[in-house]
Amino acid sequence: MPDKVIEPHTRAAIPLAPSLDATLAAAHMPRQFRPLDRRVLWIASLAMALGVIVALVAQALTGLIGGVTNLAFYGRWSFAFVSPANNHLGWWVIAVPVVGGLIVGGMARWGSRAIRGHGIPEAMEQVLLNESRIPPRMTWLKPVSSAIAIGTGGPFGAEGPIIATGGALGSLLGQWLHVTADERKTLLAAGAAAGMAAVFSAPVSAVLLAIELLLFERRARSLIPVALATVVGTGVRYLLEGNEAMFPMPELAAPGLAALATYIVLGLIVGVVSVGVTRLTYAIEDGFEKLPIHWMWWPALGGLVVGVVGYFMPLTLGVGYSNIAAVIAGQMSLTGMLALCVLKLLSWSVALGSGTSGGTLAPLFTIGSALGGVFGLCLMAWAPWLHVDPRMAALVCMAAIFAGASRAFLTSVVFAFEITQQPHGLLPLLGACAAAYLVSGLMMRNTIMTEKIARRGVRVPSEYAADYLDQILVRDACSRDVVSLRATQPLSEVRPWLSAGSVAARHQGFPVLNDDGQLLGVVTRRDLLDLHTPDEQSVGSLVQRAPLCVREDHTLREAADHMVEADVGRLVVLGKTATHAMVGIITRGDLLAAHARRLREARHASRHFGRKAAN
C-alpha cells in the first residue's frame, strides 16, 4: 500500500533528504530563461563584420550588373549602373535576354538548381529544414547568375540576389565557426538584412524583413545582431554613395480624411491585384513544368518573351529603379504608367515562372506604383473633391502590392517610408498595406514567397505569438495530490496495490520517502512492475538518481524543456519560499491540460461567431 495520499492544501511540504539538500537545486533544476547572455556579443560582432562584407558585395554585384548591361546592350566595357532602355540594338534586343537565359539555365543545371528564382523561398527552406545551412557554392553562383540575368535585360531587381547572397554568406560564416543552429540562422538573417539595407538605405525595414520572412521570431538574441548588421551595411552605403533617399520625390502634404479613406480603398483593390499577380506567376511556372523540354531551356524561352516585350517597351528591361522614381515623383504620363504596369507584369511573371535568377521586390514596386499612379490621375480628374495626390497613390499602391503578395506587412510600410523619406506618407501607407494584407489573407493561403516551398511540403510559420506555456507558472498547473511510497516497502506489498486499478495506483511516477518522511527520489510504474526485479527487493533500491525538480515559480515552458532534456515524464515541484521542500508533481499530462483553457476559449469563440454568422 502507498505510504499516504497527501491531500491538497492540508499537508506540510515534504523536506528533501539531507544528502541531497546541498546539490539538488544546482544539479537538477531547469535552466532559467535569460533573454541575453554574453554569447550575443560574439554573434553581434560577427554580424557587424558580415554587414561590412555584404555591403561591399552589394556594391560589387551592382557593378557586375552594370558591366554585363554595358557589354550586352552598348558594346562597351564599363561597370557604371545604367538602364538598358536606351539601347539602339533594334530587333537584336530580343536576342540578348535569350542568351542570358541560356547562360543562366546552364549554370543552374551544372552548378546548382537553387539559383533559380528570387532566392528568398530557398533561404526560408534552409532555415526551416536544414538548420540554416546554405551550400557554399551559392555565395558566388547566385550573384553571378543574377548579374547575367538582370544585365541581359531580365526584368528583376538587384535586391533579391543581394539578399540571397548576404544570407548565403551569413550561413557560410556560421558553418565555418562553432555556432548553434539558432546562431547560424541569426547570421543568415543578418547577412540578408544587411544586403537589403546596403541596396536601399533602409535599415529598419531590412530588420523587419528578416523578422517576417527569415527569423520566424522576435527575440533579443537574434534581433540585436541583425539590427547591428543593417546599421553597418547602411553606414557603408552612406560612405560610398551618400545618404540621400533611394527614390527621392517632392514633399507630400498630409492627406485629408477623404483622401485617406480613398488610399485605404486603393489598398483593398491592390490587395486583390497582389493575389492575382501571385496566382498568375505560379500558373505560368506550372505551365513551364508541362513543357516537353528540359528545364535548363526554360529561362531562354522566358528571355524570348522579355526581349519581345522589351523591344516594344524598353522601360521593362532591367531593374527599372528609375521607372519607380519617375512614377512616384509624378513624372510619367497616364498611358506610360498603364503600359509599364501591364507589360512589366507580363515580362516579369513569364521570366520568373521560367526559373531564371532574379528578384521580386523591384518588379512588384514598379507594377504597384504604376497602377497607383493610374488610379491617382483618374481620381484627380474624375473626383477632384477627394483631393487624391497621384504621387501618394503611387507610393501607397507600391507598398500595398508587396504587402499583399508577401504579407511582409510592417516591412512594406516602413520600407516605402525609408526609400522616400516622406513622413506624411506613413499614415496612408499603414492603412493601405493593412487593407491589402487583409484581402490577401482572406483570399490566398500562401504567399509569393511561400507557395513554392509549401508545394514541397514545407510548413512556413505565418503568425508569431507568445509561447502559451511560457505564460503559465508551474504552481498553477502541477498536481498537489502526491501519492508517495516508503523506501522500506517491499515490492511484494506494492505490486498488488498497483494491480488493483485504483485511481491513485494508475499514476505513472511515485516519490519515494525514507522513514523520516524525506524525499529520496522518484520511481516509475514500469520500474515497480519490472518482472526481472524480485518481490523481496525494496522500493528504495529502485531509486537510481536524485529527483529532477522544478520550482513553483518556473514556467511550464522551462518545465517542458527540462523534461525533454532529461527524458523524463514528471518533475518534483519545489516550493518558492521553502526551496528544498516538495509541494507537488508536474507531469506531461499536466502540460497538455494547461492548454485546455486556450482551447475552450477558441471553441467558445468559434461557436459564438459561427452562430452569429449563420443568423
Side-chain angles (χ1 to χ4, degrees), residues 63-89:
L64 184 58
I65 292 172
V68 176
T69 303
N70 278 290
L71 184 62
F73 288 94
Y74 301 105
R76 64 195 180 202
W77 287 100
S78 173
F79 292 100
F81 194 73
V82 295
S83 169
N86 299 318
N87 73 86
H88 300 286
L89 294 177

Side-chain angles (χ1 to χ4, degrees), residues 57-291:
V57 169
Q59 293 294 319
L61 179 56
T62 302
L64 184 58
I65 292 172
V68 176
T69 303
N70 278 290
L71 184 62
F73 288 94
Y74 301 105
R76 64 195 180 202
W77 287 100
S78 173
F79 292 100
F81 194 73
V82 295
S83 169
N86 299 318
N87 73 86
H88 300 286
L89 294 177
W91 285 101
W92 285 106
V93 74
I94 298 175
V96 176
V98 175
V99 173
L102 287 172
I103 297 173
V104 172
M107 294 180 67
R109 181 171 183 178
W110 290 295
S112 173
R113 191 170 180 174
I115 66 172
R116 305 170 74 222
H118 48 93
I120 293 181
E122 289 72 23
M124 296 168 74
E125 187 173 20
Q126 297 304 315
V127 168
L128 292 168
L129 298 183
N130 198 28
E131 296 185 339
S132 306
R133 298 179 187 273
I134 296 177
R137 63 182 180 274
M138 290 299 296
T139 57
W140 67 270
L141 274 175
K142 185 64 178 179
V144 172
S145 64
S146 298
I148 293 172
I150 298 170
T152 55
F156 306 106
E159 69 289 333
I162 291 174
I163 291 172
T165 303
L169 286 170
S171 173
L172 183 61
L173 180 62
Q175 292 174 63
W176 282 346
L177 302 175
H178 295 290
V179 299
T180 66
D182 273 345
E183 290 168 342
R184 188 162 48 249
K185 178 178 71 172
T186 298
L187 291 174
L188 184 155
M196 179 175 173
V199 174
F200 291 114
S201 294
V204 179
S205 54
V207 173
L208 294 172
L209 180 78
I211 293 172
E212 293 185 305
L213 296 182
L214 291 172
L215 286 172
F216 308 112
E217 64 179 24
R218 194 203 64 80
R219 293 192 290 183
R221 67 183 188 184
S222 55
L223 184 61
I224 290 173
V226 170
L228 291 174
T230 62
V231 170
V232 171
T234 306
V236 172
R237 176 187 166 84
Y238 284 175
L239 181 65
L240 297 176
E241 298 189 25
N243 58 1
E244 293 80 13
M246 179 71 178
F247 299 119
M249 58 187 301
E251 184 175 352
L252 298 175
L257 185 60
L260 181 61
T262 304
Y263 296 137
I264 295 175
V265 172
L266 289 180
L268 292 171
I269 297 171
V270 172
V272 176
V273 173
S274 71
V275 173
V277 167
T278 302
R279 291 177 176 170
L280 172 65
T281 301
Y282 282 99
I284 292 174
E285 183 174 313
D286 293 340
F288 274 100
E289 293 282 352
K290 298 176 182 177
L291 293 178

Side-chain angles (χ1 to χ4, degrees), residues 36 40 56 111 137-138 224 292-293 306 405 428 519 589:
L36 287 174
V40 175
L56 296 176
R137 63 182 180 274
M138 290 299 296
I224 290 173
I293 58 175
V306 171
L519 180 67

Side-chain angles (χ1 to χ4, degrees), residues 501-561:
S502 65
V503 174
R506 289 199 294 268
H507 292 183
Q508 299 301 312
F510 303 90
V512 179
L513 313 178
N514 64 14
D515 290 335
D516 296 325
Q518 295 171 322
L519 180 67
L520 298 177
V522 176
V523 294
T524 66
R525 183 183 183 86
R526 178 182 297 178
D527 294 333
L528 295 169
L529 295 176
D530 188 353
L531 297 178
H532 295 93
T533 307
D535 284 347
E536 61 269 15
Q537 193 165 330
S538 67
V539 171
S541 66
L542 301 181
V543 177
Q544 300 296 319
R545 60 180 177 181
L548 292 152
C549 300
V550 66
R551 287 197 307 271
E552 282 186 301
D553 56 345
H554 278 113
T555 66
L556 293 190
R557 169 51 53 206
E558 291 167 331
D561 290 347

